[in-house]
Coordinates of all heavy atoms in Angstrom, one line a residue:
A54 N 92.5 113.0 128.7 CA 91.4 113.2 127.9 C 91.8 113.3 126.5 O 91.1 112.8 125.6 CB 90.7 114.6 128.3
I55 N 93.0 114.0 126.2 CA 93.5 114.0 124.9 C 93.9 112.5 124.4 O 93.6 112.2 123.2 CB 94.7 114.9 124.8 CG1 94.4 116.3 125.2 CG2 95.3 114.8 123.4 CD1 95.5 117.4 125.2
L56 N 94.5 111.8 125.3 CA 94.9 110.5 124.9 C 93.7 109.6 124.5 O 93.7 108.7 123.7 CB 95.6 109.8 126.0 CG 97.1 110.3 126.3 CD1 97.6 109.8 127.6 CD2 97.9 109.8 125.2
G57 N 92.5 109.9 125.1 CA 91.5 109.2 124.8 C 91.0 109.3 123.4 O 90.4 108.4 122.8
I58 N 91.4 110.5 122.8 CA 91.1 110.7 121.4 C 92.3 110.1 120.5 O 92.1 109.4 119.4 CB 91.0 112.1 121.1 CG1 89.8 112.6 121.9 CG2 90.8 112.4 119.5 CD1 89.7 114.2 121.7
V59 N 93.4 110.3 121.0 CA 94.6 110.0 120.2 C 94.7 108.4 120.0 O 95.1 108.0 118.9 CB 95.9 110.5 120.8 CG1 97.2 110.0 120.0 CG2 95.9 111.9 120.9
V60 N 94.5 107.7 121.1 CA 94.7 106.2 121.0 C 93.6 105.5 120.2 O 93.6 104.3 120.1 CB 94.8 105.6 122.4 CG1 95.9 106.2 123.2 CG2 93.5 105.7 123.1
L61 N 92.9 106.2 119.4 CA 91.9 105.6 118.5 C 92.6 104.8 117.3 O 92.0 104.1 116.7 CB 90.9 106.6 118.0 CG 89.9 107.1 119.0 CD1 89.0 108.2 118.3 CD2 89.0 106.0 119.5
S62 N 93.9 105.2 117.2 CA 94.7 104.5 116.2 C 94.6 103.0 116.4 O 94.8 102.5 117.5 CB 96.2 104.9 116.3 OG 96.3 106.2 116.2
S63 N 94.4 102.2 115.4 CA 94.0 100.8 115.6 C 94.7 100.0 114.4 O 94.0 99.0 113.9 CB 92.5 100.5 115.7 OG 91.9 101.0 114.6
S64 N 95.7 100.5 114.0 CA 96.3 99.8 112.7 C 96.8 98.5 113.2 O 97.6 98.3 114.0 CB 97.6 100.6 112.3 OG 98.2 100.0 111.2
N65 N 96.4 97.4 112.3 CA 96.7 96.1 112.6 C 97.9 95.6 111.7 O 98.7 94.7 112.0 CB 95.5 95.1 112.5 CG 94.6 95.2 113.5 OD1 94.9 95.2 114.7 ND2 93.2 95.4 113.2
S66 N 97.9 96.2 110.5 CA 98.9 95.9 109.5 C 99.8 97.1 109.1 O 99.3 98.3 109.3 CB 98.2 95.4 108.2 OG 97.4 96.3 107.7
L67 N 100.9 96.8 108.6 CA 101.8 97.9 108.2 C 101.8 98.3 106.9 O 101.3 97.6 106.0 CB 103.2 97.4 108.5 CG 103.6 97.0 110.0 CD1 105.0 96.5 110.1 CD2 103.3 98.1 111.0
S68 N 102.1 99.6 106.6 CA 102.1 100.2 105.2 C 103.2 101.3 105.2 O 103.5 101.8 106.4 CB 100.7 100.6 104.8 OG 100.2 101.6 105.6
G69 N 103.4 101.8 104.1 CA 104.3 103.0 104.0 C 105.7 102.8 104.6 O 106.3 101.7 104.5
K70 N 106.1 103.8 105.3 CA 107.3 103.8 106.0 C 107.6 102.7 107.1 O 108.6 102.2 107.2 CB 107.8 105.2 106.5 CG 108.0 106.2 105.3 CD 108.5 107.5 105.9 CE 108.8 108.5 104.7 NZ 109.3 109.8 105.3
S71 N 106.5 102.4 107.8 CA 106.6 101.5 108.8 C 106.8 100.0 108.2 O 107.6 99.2 108.8 CB 105.2 101.4 109.8 OG 104.1 101.2 108.8
L72 N 106.2 99.8 107.1 CA 106.4 98.5 106.4 C 107.8 98.5 105.8 O 108.4 97.5 105.9 CB 105.3 98.4 105.3 CG 105.5 97.1 104.5 CD1 105.4 95.8 105.3 CD2 104.4 97.0 103.3
E73 N 108.3 99.6 105.3 CA 109.7 99.7 104.8 C 110.7 99.3 106.0 O 111.6 98.5 105.7 CB 110.0 101.1 104.3 CG 109.3 101.4 103.0 CD 109.6 102.8 102.6 OE1 110.6 103.4 103.0 OE2 108.8 103.3 101.7
F74 N 110.4 99.9 107.1 CA 111.4 99.6 108.3 C 111.3 98.0 108.6 O 112.4 97.4 108.9 CB 111.0 100.4 109.5 CG 111.9 100.1 110.6 CD1 113.3 100.6 110.5 CD2 111.6 99.1 111.5 CE1 114.1 100.3 111.7 CE2 112.4 98.9 112.7 CZ 113.6 99.4 112.7
F75 N 110.0 97.5 108.7 CA 109.9 96.2 109.0 C 110.6 95.3 108.1 O 111.3 94.3 108.5 CB 108.5 95.7 109.0 CG 108.2 94.2 109.2 CD1 108.5 93.6 110.5 CD2 107.8 93.4 108.1 CE1 108.4 92.2 110.7 CE2 107.8 92.0 108.3 CZ 108.0 91.5 109.6

Side-chain angles (χ1 to χ4, degrees):
I55 298 175
L56 284 168
I58 299 174
V59 176
V60 297
L61 290 177
S62 304
S63 59
S64 176
N65 291 310
S66 59
L67 301 178
S68 62
K70 292 186 179 182
S71 57
L72 179 58
E73 289 177 20
F74 178 80
F75 171 75

